[in-house]
Amino acid sequence: MFSTVISGAVYGIDSYLVHVEADLSSGLPCFVIVGNPGSEVREAGERVRIALKNSDIQIPPMHIAVNISPGDIRKAGTGFDLPVAVAVLAAMGKIPPESLKEKLFLGELSLDGELKPVHGVLPIVTCAVNKGIRQVIVPEENAKEAAIVRKMKVSGAVCLKQVIEYLKQPEKTQDQFLPPTKTTAHEDMPPGNRSGKEPDFGEIQGQEQAKQAALIAAAGFHHMLIVGPPGAGKTMLAKRMPSILPPLSEQESLEVSALYSISGKLNRGSPLICQRPFLSPHHTISPQALAGGGKVPRPGAVSLAHRGILFLDELPEFKRQTLDLLRQPLEEKEIQIARSSGFFTYPADMMVIGAMNPCPCGYYPDRNRCRCSPSEIHQYLSHLSGPILDRIDLCVPVPKVEISQLQSKVRGMGSKEMRQQVQKARHYQKIRYQNTRYRFNADLEAGDVEKYCALGNRERDLLENLFHSMDFSARTYHRILKVARTIADLEDGGKIRETHLMQAACYRPGDLFER
């Protein structure tokens, strides 16, 4: 009277398979779950017992022991309800043991036996298919999410009774009783597929210099800071950035969708995320919400913006402690969190766009309107530390828009035109970084900058003069080279010229931050 069922779990963002073992023996009637279970897993015994009763199955008065292996990892969540119920039924002889081979079970049970959806299905199923599992049985609401994984047979059930009857069927008739779930998610994401409802850069009157900076940032995946008075269009510029970024590749879609699955933020009707994420947290966000929090941390905003954009509006209003958390992910494209329960690494390869006023009232350096004292301006700007500013590739001034520009019928660059230029520049980068770990110019590490951003003698002399006159740090020196490389890619993908270097140098944080 012993049985084993395969299930899966997520620890941090890593998925692993677990074996749910059930044993029925004579002794004091009880339902015991061991294997380092959390509070939700310990409660599974009561949910399973009542769900079986309401599914017309009586559990005999015996000692029921359930072990969830491996026992050295803390188990959390409600996804073990279904595998525990199936393991107990197999140990009771209600389900043929051979029907459980190479199948993974996952799902929460309500007291009436209904199956409820759980988090983290996509990464668990991905892990299962890599381990040789060829079928998963999950709640019907999770079936489309699980079916995203290729080479996996997915059966979505609505209740425990349906699962029991399915497992009792002969193998030849199982698919007729519960047809496998199919998905067209991969076919529904052709390159360039867009809803047509996105805000367009063509709606912005004036600000051509800022739009050019946005084009450079999108082409090379560079971080950008937009500085200007209230109403100049900083937020409008940032919110239109997704409209010029290429859609996610299939591999990137799976990465992002897995993070949202773990966080419980996946759209169950359309589980594969095809557009790049755009997150805009309020400035009151806590450090834990930004970086990831919890005893076993869940992904924070920097990870949910992976492969997309993290927009920080009113940047100086964020707490300095919160902003300084971005130092590591801006440089290393990942964030590492240490807890007593373990050491966790989360992906954080995102483009950061910040927007801010130049002073508390927003009108500096216009002394006719600015009411701020030098000390107030200094205190306001001190929320941005030097190391954070040093990691920003492009600092873009956005002046007040004149009425002649607002009333002009001349339309500037639109998103479609800008997106075509971005795709051309990224084509050059794809060829250049083929068979390397790099994807964009912004990814280049210091040791490879000179290799991929080679300069002629005149360009080298110019950069040396700029280095001394503008007092660059080593990081700023490399970032100017990478931005200049992107500017050259937007033109023709050729060599970096003097004009490219001078334009890149103009985008570094200026006198405003050096007062």
Side-chain angles (χ1 to χ4, degrees):
M1 304 227 304
F2 170 84
S3 69
T4 301
V5 169
I6 299 173
S7 187
V10 175
Y11 189 68
I13 63 168
D14 297 321
S15 305
Y16 62 98
L17 298 186
V18 301
H19 291 268
V20 179
E21 304 167 340
D23 180 81
L24 275 66
S25 60
S26 58
L28 184 66
C30 62
F31 202 127
V32 180
I33 297 179
V34 297
N36 205 355
S39 58
E40 305 100 326
V41 182
R42 284 195 298 270
E43 293 167 354
E46 194 66 14
R47 286 195 296 271
V48 168
R49 187 181 65 80
I50 298 175
L52 287 173
K53 176 181 72 70
N54 290 327
S55 299
D56 301 325
I57 297 175
Q58 295 296 328
I59 299 180
M62 302 180 71
H63 181 90
I64 302 173
V66 175
N67 176 45
I68 305 177
S69 173
D72 60 339
I73 302 177
R74 184 75 168 174
K75 315 298 187 311
T78 57
F80 296 108
D81 290 6
L82 179 60
V84 167
V86 172
V88 170
L89 288 169
M92 292 169 56
K94 301 288 186 180
I95 294 175
E98 60 273 10
S99 65
L100 307 179
K101 292 180 180 179
E102 296 186 351
K103 289 184 177 68
L104 182 141
F105 297 84
L106 198 66
E108 178 185 346
L109 284 173
S110 64
L111 296 184
D112 63 354
E114 180 187 356
L115 280 174
K116 295 183 176 181
V118 293
H119 300 165
V121 170
L122 178 56
I124 291 172
V125 175
T126 302
C127 175
V129 77
N130 293 334
K131 297 289 186 179
I133 304 298
R134 290 294 172 259
Q135 183 180 1
V136 295
I137 298 177
V138 294
E140 190 175 44
E141 291 184 54
N142 288 128
K144 286 187 177 181
E145 178 184 345
I148 291 173
V149 182
R150 300 181 189 273
K151 299 180 181 179
M152 177 62 79
K153 180 181 177 182
V154 178
S155 301
V158 296
C159 63
L160 181 58
K161 273 186 176 181
Q162 193 177 34
V163 174
I164 297 170
E165 292 302 318
Y166 174 80
L167 295 173
K168 288 181 178 180
Q169 298 289 322
E171 187 175 353
K172 293 180 180 179
T173 61
Q174 283 183 336
D175 290 351
Q176 299 174 7
F177 181 81
L178 191 62
T181 301
K182 299 190 182 296
T183 181
T184 58
H186 298 284
E187 289 74 16
D188 290 342
M189 53 170 297
N193 179 37
R194 293 181 180 274
S195 64
K197 300 178 182 178
E198 293 175 315
D200 194 287
F201 269 100
E203 299 166 350
I204 299 177
Q205 296 294 96
Q207 307 299 8
E208 292 302 314
Q209 180 185 0
K211 289 164 74 171
Q212 179 65 26
L215 181 65
I216 296 169
F221 216 66
H222 299 288
H223 307 305
M224 182 171 67
L225 176 61
I226 309 171
V227 185
K234 303 184 295 293
T235 304
M236 286 183 69
L237 284 162
K239 288 187 174 181
R240 281 153 179 77
M241 284 296 292
S243 68
I244 64 174
L245 291 174
L248 293 168
S249 66
E250 183 175 324
Q251 181 59 38
E252 289 174 332
S253 290
L254 290 172
E255 290 178 20
V256 176
S257 299
L259 287 167
Y260 277 71
S261 175
I262 293 168
S263 303
K265 300 180 182 296
L266 208 57
N267 183 345
R268 304 204 187 280
S270 180
L272 186 65
I273 296 175
C274 302
Q275 299 298 329
R276 296 190 181 274
F278 183 90
L279 270 73
S280 180
H282 193 260
H283 63 260
T284 56
I285 187 173
S286 68
Q288 292 75 21
L290 185 67
K295 188 174 181 181
V296 177
R298 290 296 177 92
V302 294
S303 295
L304 294 176
H306 181 60
R307 305 296 189 191
I309 295 173
L310 179 67
F311 175 46
L312 303 177
D313 203 1
E314 304 296 344
L315 194 61
E317 300 296 336
F318 286 78
K319 294 181 180 178
R320 180 164 179 169
Q321 176 191 6
T322 303
L323 289 179
D324 282 346
L325 286 173
L326 295 172
R327 291 188 188 186
Q328 181 196 24
L330 284 178
E331 196 72 20
E332 300 180 5
K333 312 295 185 184
E334 63 182 22
I335 186 164
Q336 299 177 348
I337 303 174
R339 293 286 187 270
S340 59
S341 56
F343 191 82
F344 304 89
T345 301
Y346 299 94
D349 187 2
M350 75 289 187
M351 179 196 300
V352 173
I353 300 177
M356 59 176 287
N357 298 324
C359 67
C361 76
Y363 296 106
Y364 179 84
D366 183 358
R367 281 304 184 183
N368 293 323
R369 302 185 67 185
C370 180
R371 306 182 302 272
C372 305
S373 66
S375 61
E376 289 174 330
I377 297 174
H378 177 76
Q379 184 179 2
Y380 180 75
L381 298 178
S382 66
H383 282 246
L384 303 181
S385 63
I388 289 293
L389 286 174
D390 212 28
R391 288 166 166 81
I392 300 295
D393 300 331
L394 303 167
C395 183
V396 188
V398 179
K400 175 187 173 182
V401 181
E402 300 298 334
I403 189 170
S404 59
Q405 294 174 312
L406 292 174
Q407 295 178 340
S408 173
K409 298 186 183 300
V410 178
R411 191 177 159 93
M413 284 193 299
S415 293
K416 183 178 180 180
E417 178 188 350
M418 294 173 71
R419 185 164 62 248
Q420 289 172 348
Q421 295 185 51
V422 169
Q423 290 173 338
K424 181 183 73 171
R426 291 200 173 184
H427 175 70
Y428 292 132
Q429 294 172 63
K430 183 178 180 180
I431 296 173
R432 181 182 304 123
Y433 303 129
Q434 193 172 9
N435 300 323
T436 72
R437 64 182 180 277
Y438 302 125
R439 296 176 301 119
F440 310 118
N441 292 327
D443 295 338
L444 285 173
E445 296 178 357
D448 290 324
V449 169
E450 297 290 343
K451 176 182 177 182
Y452 293 105
C453 303
L455 301 177
N457 292 331
R458 294 176 59 182
E459 289 78 16
R460 191 175 295 276
D461 291 341
L462 172 63
L463 189 56
E464 184 177 347
N465 292 333
L466 290 172
F467 184 89
H468 292 299
S469 62
M470 303 181 76
D471 194 22
F472 292 161
S473 67
R475 183 183 286 117
T476 302
Y477 169 82
H478 289 135
R479 291 190 180 280
I480 285 180
L481 278 174
K482 289 186 280 188
V483 172
R485 177 69 270 169
T486 301
I487 296 171
D489 288 341
L490 282 167
E491 289 190 3
D492 55 11
K495 293 182 178 180
I496 298 174
R497 296 191 289 272
E498 291 175 288
T499 55
H500 303 149
L501 290 171
M502 288 188 288
Q503 186 177 353
C506 290
Y507 286 124
R508 66 180 294 271
D511 295 337
L512 176 66
F513 297 98
E514 297 172 355
R515 296 177 72 254

